[in-house]
Amino acid sequence: RTALAPREAAARRKGKARRGRGKARNEGLLSKQKRSRRMKANDRERNRMHHLNSALDALRSVLPTFPDDAKLTKIETLRFAHNYIWALTQSLRLA
């Protein structure tokens, strides 16, 4: 048997051996921490989507679309940009 620290030995004698990382946390504190983490994660995701949408808007602004007021979806924007870049590359190769 290994030697126990005085505090652990006293706790074991009283039948209150410590388990895990120490003192159990208050359930209210845990739920508050979970809520805080979830809110921070939601903020990060919201900011990520705002940046993605801004980047797609910037991409849409340089792509030639007909009619000009037609807003392409995200996937349509990416596909159109891919095809447009490919077409420009081909025209440069032929020139």
Side-chain angles (χ1 to χ4, degrees), residues 5-23:
R7 204 180 267 181
E8 291 174 347
R12 191 165 283 182
R13 279 193 301 270
K14 291 180 184 177
K16 296 179 182 178
R18 289 185 175 206
R19 296 176 192 224
R21 301 175 110 191
K23 191 175 185 180

Side-chain angles (χ1 to χ4, degrees), residues 59-74:
L59 182 58
R60 281 184 196 105
S61 70
V62 297
L63 292 175
T65 57
F66 303 101
D68 291 332
D69 60 349
K71 183 178 178 186
L72 301 172
T73 65
K74 292 175 184 178

Side-chain angles (χ1 to χ4, degrees), residues 8-70:
E8 291 174 347
R12 191 165 283 182
R13 279 193 301 270
K14 291 180 184 177
K16 296 179 182 178
R18 289 185 175 206
R19 296 176 192 224
R21 301 175 110 191
K23 191 175 185 180
R25 291 189 177 177
N26 185 357
E27 289 180 19
L29 181 62
L30 281 176
S31 66
K32 189 174 181 180
Q33 287 177 338
K34 286 181 182 179
R35 205 173 323 118
S36 174
R37 285 187 198 131
R38 176 59 17 218
M39 287 176 63
K40 288 177 183 177
N42 288 346
D43 286 341
R44 284 192 304 272
E45 178 64 12
R46 192 176 306 107
N47 285 332
R48 187 186 73 81
M49 289 306 299
H50 283 307
H51 290 298
L52 177 64
N53 288 333
S54 296
L56 285 168
D57 286 338
L59 182 58
R60 281 184 196 105
S61 70
V62 297
L63 292 175
T65 57
F66 303 101
D68 291 332
D69 60 349

Side-chain angles (χ1 to χ4, degrees), residues 72-88:
L72 301 172
T73 65
K74 292 175 184 178
I75 191 67
E76 288 171 343
T77 302
L78 292 173
R79 286 181 178 149
F80 191 105
H82 174 268
N83 292 335
Y84 186 58
I85 292 168
W86 178 84
L88 291 173

